[in-house]
């Protein structure tokens, strides 16, 4: 099952992210795929806002991981620069803790990801329009998508 949503403005992207955020539980894993400029970081910023995180959330591209405190803690990863790395960066502790994890370019660490997760793909259609595709892996995320898109 997958869920598609057409988005016409950055404001709609932010609204979708905030609607998702209020439904998130401890330990939830979200992966974000999409070309540069698709809106992965923009989406993440609004998830953070919806989690009650007041600190500014920036792209973590040069640090790979940033962590924030909110209603739930947030791990924000951008693994774009890990493409050719075989390092063990201790993902297990990160992904199996209480924080929500959001991973930009997650396919680059596919083998380190928990099997159950919500995969979100963002396709840039034009300057402001996007197509979001939500693909739940596992019961928890199927339920989450049903709530979100009911
Ligand atoms: P990524 O992290 O995928 O590289 P960013 O979120 O950093 O992308 O950048 C997305 C850019 O596209 C931002 O400049 C944002 O203002 C712009 N934008 C325009 N319309 C949208 C939209 N509907 N959703 C998300 N971003 C949008
Ligand atoms: Mg980004």
């Amino acid at each position: 099952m997958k869920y598609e949503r057409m988005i016409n403005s950055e404001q709609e992207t932010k609204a979708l992210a905030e609607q998702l955020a209020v439904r998130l539980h401890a330990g939830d894993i979200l992966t974000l795929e999409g070309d540069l400029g698709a809106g992965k970081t923009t989406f993440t910023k609004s998830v953070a806002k919806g989690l009650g995180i007041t600190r500014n959330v920036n792209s973590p591209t040069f640090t790979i991981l940033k962590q924030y405190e909110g209603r739930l803690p947030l791990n924000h990863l951008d693994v774009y620069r890990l493409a050719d790395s075989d390092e063990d960066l201790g993902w297990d502790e990160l992904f199996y803790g209480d924080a929500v994890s959001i991973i930009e370019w997650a396919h680059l660490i596919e083998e380190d990801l928990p099997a159950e997760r919500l995969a979100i793909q963002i396709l840039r259609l034009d300057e402001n329009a996007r197509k979001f595709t939500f693909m739940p892996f596992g019961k928890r995320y199927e339920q989450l998508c049903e709530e979100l898109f009911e």
Side-chain angles (χ1 to χ4, degrees):
M1 189 67 181
K2 64 182 186 184
Y3 299 79
E4 291 182 348
R5 170 73 68 90
M6 302 304 291
I7 291 289
N8 294 306
S9 67
E10 187 169 340
Q11 208 41 54
E12 285 182 29
T13 294
K14 291 177 175 174
L16 179 61
E18 289 190 46
Q19 285 157 19
L20 173 63
V22 297
R23 293 176 170 81
L24 290 173
H25 294 172
D28 278 346
I29 312 280
L30 312 177
T31 65
L32 291 177
E33 302 290 351
D35 292 341
L36 275 177
K40 301 180 296 298
T41 300
T42 300
F43 187 83
T44 302
K45 283 171 182 274
S46 289
V47 171
K49 189 177 166 203
L51 287 173
I53 291 161
T54 50
R55 260 176 70 203
N56 188 36
V57 172
N58 292 314
S59 175
T61 297
F62 296 101
T63 50
I64 298 163
L65 168 66
K66 286 190 184 172
Q67 296 179 296
Y68 302 88
E69 293 301 326
R71 171 176 74 78
L72 296 168
L74 173 67
N75 297 321
H76 181 200
L77 291 89
D78 183 330
V79 299
Y80 186 68
R81 285 155 52 84
L82 283 184
D84 295 318
S85 170
D86 289 327
E87 275 177 87
D88 179 354
L89 291 160
W91 305 119
D92 282 15
E93 281 177 38
L94 205 63
F95 295 151
Y96 295 99
D98 278 348
V100 168
S101 295
I102 302 184
I103 307 129
E104 300 190 36
W105 303 100
H107 69 275
L108 296 174
I109 58 160
E110 178 93 44
E111 58 278 13
D112 299 309
L113 295 174
E116 301 215 344
R117 62 206 193 227
L118 177 56
I120 301 171
Q121 190 174 37
I122 311 173
L123 184 65
R124 184 186 186 282
L125 300 175
D126 65 26
E127 192 179 343
N128 297 305
R130 304 289 186 269
K131 184 172 91 172
F132 275 77
T133 306
F134 283 60
M135 286 159 290
F137 294 93
K139 277 244 148 29
R140 153 75 189 131
Y141 299 102
E142 283 168 21
Q143 213 167 13
L144 178 59
C145 285
E146 266 169 37
E147 278 178 35
L148 188 62
F149 294 106
E150 74 184 352

